[in-house]
Amino acid sequence: EPEVTQTPSHQVTQMGQEVILRCVPISNHLYFYWYRQILGQKVEFLVSFYNNEISEKSEIFDDQFSVERPDGSNFTLKIRSTKLEDSAMYFCASNSGGRLELHNEQFFGPGTRLTVL
Amino acid sequence: QQQVKQSPQSLIVQKGGISIINCAYENTAFDYFPWYQQFPGKGPALLIAIRPDVSEKKEGRFTISFNKSAKQFSLHIMDSQPGDSATYFCAASWVNTDKLIFGTGTRLQVFP
């Protein structure tokens, strides 16, 4: 069964450093997302991406964050200068696309745990 | 107004019992209410979803009950099994967006 994969599973970084979280969405999917989950809290939407551009972003997704689809398979989240409060589990998700009102299923990856020291 | 409130935070149920998790929302523009199941070390996976034009949806042992006037929806797990032990998230979305607004999660433990 096709699945979303994410690497690395755990990333430890120093405050102020740049990190890139990588995702490989399901191959025929067209919409891509990043969500995050701070320990013990709810899953929060960060950004959605379609047709090589951001379609929607939350207030969390400030200038320190960027997303990219550098090739036909990878989807990345970059945090330019990490802060302590960026420590969280970051989930990538994808769906096959179609009319928004159909709310096609979003398939989530296993997550990358980011720890900022 | 975009929040989804979920309760309880944790739930312990005996094998064979009924697990009930509740969610409430304020935004009447929400038109899609999925439930996600998450096992340790895995991402959330869609379990079952409902739209507001029906009051109930059943898939196997899992049922969503939806009360539009009360702006509440709940997940019922019948004949709960130890393999159901996981964290459950309710979520909501609305037309012209595909972002999901998640509840805070319920950790379910089913003991044999």
Side-chain angles (χ1 to χ4, degrees):
Chain A
E1 185 176 323
E3 57 182 16
V4 177
T5 59
Q6 291 185 243
T7 54
S9 56
H10 191 191
Q11 173 93 45
V12 181
T13 189
Q14 294 291 325
M15 190 170 57
Q17 294 296 304
E18 174 183 288
V19 295
I20 297 176
L21 310 183
R22 291 181 166 80
C23 168
V24 179
I26 294 173
S27 63
N28 61 344
H29 282 189
L30 301 176
Y31 289 79
F32 314 111
Y33 312 86
W34 285 100
Y35 290 81
R36 79 172 186 190
Q37 184 180 26
I38 295 172
L39 187 64
Q41 298 185 25
K42 64 181 178 181
V43 177
E44 299 175 290
F45 169 81
L46 291 179
V47 66
S48 58
F49 190 85
Y50 169 71
N51 200 25
N52 280 321
E53 60 183 29
I54 291 173
S55 47
E56 191 170 0
K57 61 182 180 179
S58 72
E59 61 275 8
I60 301 168
F61 194 89
D62 61 21
D63 292 344
Q64 293 300 312
F65 291 87
S66 62
V67 288
E68 192 179 30
R69 188 153 162 81
D71 52 43
S73 60
N74 290 284
F75 179 51
T76 61
L77 175 69
K78 182 193 290 186
I79 308 175
R80 258 180 275 282
S81 177
T82 50
K83 307 185 193 73
L84 294 176
E85 54 265 36
D86 293 329
S87 294
M89 181 73 86
Y90 287 80
F91 292 106
C92 173
S94 69
N95 84 29
S96 56
R99 289 159 42 204
L100 284 178
E101 58 267 32
L102 294 180
H103 294 293
N104 292 310
E105 178 179 353
Q106 291 185 24
F107 292 82
F108 283 76
T112 292
R113 180 167 297 286
L114 176 64
T115 302
V116 182
L117 302 176
Chain B
Q1 222 192 6
Q2 288 192 3
Q3 282 188 1
V4 178
K5 295 181 181 177
Q6 183 171 350
S7 63
Q9 192 173 0
S10 64
L11 183 61
I12 298 174
V13 172
Q14 203 78 20
K15 179 183 173 183
I18 302 173
S19 304
I20 302 174
I21 305 170
N22 300 300
C23 283
Y25 63 96
E26 288 295 323
N27 188 348
T28 54
F30 286 146
D31 70 343
Y32 175 67
F33 302 91
W35 283 90
Y36 278 80
Q37 179 188 54
Q38 184 182 25
F39 293 106
K42 302 282 188 182
L46 180 65
L47 186 62
I48 185 172
I50 197 168
R51 295 177 189 273
D53 52 345
V54 296
S55 59
E56 186 175 281
K57 183 173 182 180
K58 185 176 180 179
E59 289 184 3
R61 295 184 294 108
F62 301 92
T63 300
I64 301 178
S65 296
F66 185 81
N67 186 328
K68 191 173 180 178
S69 60
K71 291 184 280 188
Q72 295 175 346
F73 58 110
S74 58
L75 176 69
H76 296 238
I77 305 175
M78 312 300 287
D79 187 26
S80 299
Q81 299 296 312
D84 296 330
S85 297
T87 299
Y88 292 81
F89 293 96
C90 62
S93 190
W94 62 100
V95 69
N96 294 328
T97 183
D98 46 4
K99 74 178 182 186
L100 294 169
I101 307 297
F102 281 88
T104 48
T106 296
R107 186 177 175 214
L108 171 66
Q109 294 174 276
V110 181
F111 285 97

